Amino acid sequence: MNKVTILGSLNVDTILRVKRFPKPGETLPLSGKSVAGGGKGANQAIAAARAGAHTTFIGKVGQDQEGDFMVKQLTDSGVAAQFVQHSSEANTGSAVIMLDSSSENRILIDGGTNQLVTAADVDLAQTVIAASDFLIAQFETPIAATMRGFELAHAANQRTILNPAPATHDVPAKLLSLTDLIVPNETETETLTGVPVTDEHSMIKAAAVFQQLGVANVIITVGSKGAFWQRGQAHGFVPAYKVNAVDTTAAGDTFIGALSSVLRPDFSNLAAAVRFANRASSLAVQKLGAQPSIPTRAAILAAERA
């Protein structure tokens, strides 16, 4: 089974259920409220661990109850958390998620201690990174820390996966040159490449831009439609499984974590790994809450057999 290290964010999510999103100046009643663990990094780590990967996390929380809660969320799912630092300089990251009756979401994030992760914090995990099949990072922690992590991974001949979310126009060319697989959604793809994603032809065009920037392998996720993949000159599209979605918050993170648990470091099974990740994501969207919805490997395999 793969060894995966995740560098990323930890947030406590407050989920507000509404029939529809309010208009400017409008007040609406809630139809429900709950609290769960979240953060793109933590979600992806828990997804990888539950899917069977030996998973280690690098990140930072506050010296508060929320920080203790998030570390417990990791360890309860089998994620090694010895490289999660506790800081008194800020509170643990948090997010407020509005979820409407059609399962669409709007998310507001307070980065908190996630914004304090440094290259020095990453250096502490150098040995683990060097022994990992994949190092995964997102953009909810500082890019300088991600750059250092990807440098360490490449120095050890290990593979890197970048989930460029939230999207930004200011991605250093060096970071992309250190990225072996990039996994954006359609919005992030347009932000990074300038190519609007509307069909498979546009996905091929966007993937070519990524490859020109130095990223050899590309996956573009397009929500309920599925995911496009490109490896070298080979490419394809894997349709999503049709389910009744309840909460799409962790869909993309579950996809990436599950993908990393079965993907070969030479990317030779990229299409099959995308199918496995699609199945995991289809299970996650059928439950409420980011981390509570993430399926286990047994659940994914059972759904595959059904």
Side-chain angles (χ1 to χ4, degrees):
M1 193 57 63
N2 284 346
K3 294 181 179 178
V4 177
T5 298
I6 313 282
L7 166 61
S9 55
L10 303 108
N11 292 329
V12 176
D13 292 348
T14 300
I15 305 158
L16 307 177
R17 295 181 65 85
V18 294
K19 290 185 178 179
R20 60 175 177 81
F21 298 122
K23 299 175 183 178
E26 183 180 23
T27 300
L28 293 176
L30 297 178
S31 56
K33 179 181 178 180
S34 58
V35 175
K40 296 190 69 63
N43 294 345
Q44 291 172 17
I46 288 173
R50 290 183 185 171
H54 297 286
T55 309
T56 301
F57 196 85
I58 304 169
K60 190 164 286 188
V61 295
Q63 293 181 345
D64 47 32
Q65 291 183 340
E66 290 79 8
D68 295 339
F69 171 76
M70 287 308 305
V71 171
K72 188 174 188 299
Q73 297 305 296
L74 294 176
T75 56
D76 283 354
S77 291
V79 179
Q82 68 265 38
F83 299 109
V84 176
Q85 306 292 318
H86 290 256
S87 173
S88 61
E89 296 180 41
N91 294 326
T92 298
S94 61
V96 176
I97 302 169
M98 285 196 298
L99 189 67
D100 74 4
S101 58
S102 65
S103 299
E104 292 296 323
N105 59 55
R106 301 287 189 273
I107 303 175
L108 299 172
I109 294 177
D110 174 16
T113 47
N114 294 315
Q115 298 305 310
L116 302 179
V117 179
T118 66
D121 296 323
V122 177
D123 282 338
L124 295 174
Q126 180 174 358
T127 301
V128 170
I129 291 171
S132 297
D133 296 295
F134 296 104
L135 173 64
I136 305 174
Q138 322 78 35
F139 285 159
E140 289 185 345
T141 49
I143 286 179
T146 299
M147 186 88 75
R148 179 57 178 161
F150 279 25
E151 288 172 344
L152 293 174
H154 270 219
N157 293 316
Q158 305 296 16
R159 299 292 174 257
T160 58
I161 300 175
L162 179 64
N163 173 216
T168 176
H169 292 281
D170 302 320
V171 181
K174 182 179 179 181
L175 180 61
L176 293 175
S177 73
L178 292 168
T179 298
D180 296 302
L181 170 64
I182 194 165
V183 191
N185 64 21
E186 63 265 52
T187 302
E188 294 148 4
T189 297
E190 182 175 356
T191 298
L192 291 172
T193 68
V195 178
V197 173
T198 56
D199 54 20
E200 190 166 350
H201 176 74
S202 61
M203 296 178 204
I204 294 170
K205 184 177 179 181
V209 174
F210 281 126
Q211 290 182 328
Q212 290 167 7
L213 293 170
V215 186
N217 305 283
V218 179
I219 295 174
I220 300 173
T221 59
V222 285
S224 60
K225 296 178 182 178
F228 169 88
W229 61 270
Q230 177 124 8
R231 175 176 176 256
Q233 297 305 307
H235 61 81
F237 189 85
V238 182
Y241 294 92
K242 302 303 180 184
V243 297
N244 294 319
V246 173
D247 182 357
T248 60
T249 303
D253 296 333
T254 298
F255 179 97
I256 292 170
L259 178 93
S260 71
S261 74
V262 297
L263 185 61
R264 295 172 188 155
D266 64 0
F267 302 102
S268 60
N269 68 332
L270 188 58
V274 168
R275 284 193 292 273
F276 181 83
N278 272 354
R279 177 64 80 181
S281 185
S282 76
L283 295 175
V285 300
Q286 295 180 66
K287 295 182 179 179
L288 183 65
Q291 291 170 12
S293 71
I294 297 171
T296 63
R297 180 176 180 82
I300 299 166
L301 295 177
E304 288 280 78
R305 292 190 296 267

